[in-house]
Amino acid sequence: MSVAEEFTLDFARSERIGLEEAIFCAGKSPEQIDAILEAARARGASLLLTRLDPEKRDRLDAAARLDYCPVSRTAVFGEAPRITGPARVAVVAAGTSDVPVAREALRVLAYAGRAAALFADVGVAGLWRLTTRIEEIRAHPVVIVAAGMDAALPSVVGGLVAGAVIAVPTSVGYGVAAGGRAALDAVLASCAPGITVVNIDNGYGAACAALRLLHAAGRLAAETER
């Protein structure tokens, strides 16, 4: 079996569910990723790549053609849509260590042409950092919150904003934080009603959840105008 026979790209995904195909690079060899990018190039298609480590990126034939962000480990192959309109999503990071996950969410939103605003280092260990920016955060109908350790921030934000809150537990923390499992359990057990929870470190999934909400709101607005 050739490398090209090891994958089937889902170019119809955007028509079916409104979300573009993305390539999860962890576990894929540089040769497999290059073959995927060549298939996209042959169709004149763009692709979003996630979890692409710098070392693997440097081994790609297509490395020079990638818009790469080493912080989020994401890359864009080809042309992404131009970002238009006001920021409808706030991406909130509890600490600087949570920023890579937050930036993954931001990059996914940008790839979809959606503006978003980052609010970093506003964790509850210094609650004043959040309260001084809460009105800015409230201005966004969708809020993604990335937090590790005890992951208290999504619950606090969930009790302060009226918009949709998407919690991303991160793997940040010592010992019993258990690679993000304590944070995941905390947000699943949150006393703030209606919080959506995605998997540990899954900024990509959080952004996709936000996009689904925005798409649904857009369809509802269009139907109301008819």
Side-chain angles (χ1 to χ4, degrees), residues 43 77 90 105 153:
R43 292 180 61 104
F77 176 79
L153 185 61

Side-chain angles (χ1 to χ4, degrees), residues 34-56:
D34 272 327
I36 289 169
L37 296 180
E38 176 56 28
R41 187 203 62 76
R43 292 180 61 104
S46 300
L47 278 178
L48 173 70
L49 289 78
T50 67
R51 298 304 163 91
L52 178 61
D53 291 327
E55 298 80 8
K56 188 176 292 184

Side-chain angles (χ1 to χ4, degrees), residues 51-148:
R51 298 304 163 91
L52 178 61
D53 291 327
E55 298 80 8
K56 188 176 292 184
R57 179 258 185 190
D58 291 342
R59 293 172 58 195
L60 296 177
D61 290 339
R65 290 176 280 160
L66 294 177
D67 171 10
Y68 183 64
C69 172
V71 175
S72 62
R73 292 182 294 160
T74 60
V76 174
F77 176 79
E79 299 230 355
R82 195 179 70 176
I83 298 175
T84 58
R88 309 293 287 166
V89 182
V91 181
V92 180
T96 305
S97 297
D98 302 303
V99 165
V101 174
R103 287 210 174 275
E104 182 179 64
L106 287 167
R107 290 271 289 179
V108 175
L109 291 165
Y111 181 74
R114 295 283 188 169
L118 175 64
F119 299 85
D121 202 18
V122 292
V124 299
L127 196 56
W128 61 270
R129 297 177 299 184
L130 175 64
T131 57
T132 57
R133 308 208 68 183
I134 193 62
E135 292 304 325
E136 295 174 77
I137 295 170
R138 279 181 177 146
H140 301 81
V142 181
V143 182
I144 295 171
V145 186

Side-chain angles (χ1 to χ4, degrees), residues 148-162:
M149 297 191 179
D150 59 358
L153 185 61
S155 291
V156 174
V157 171
L160 293 173
V161 306

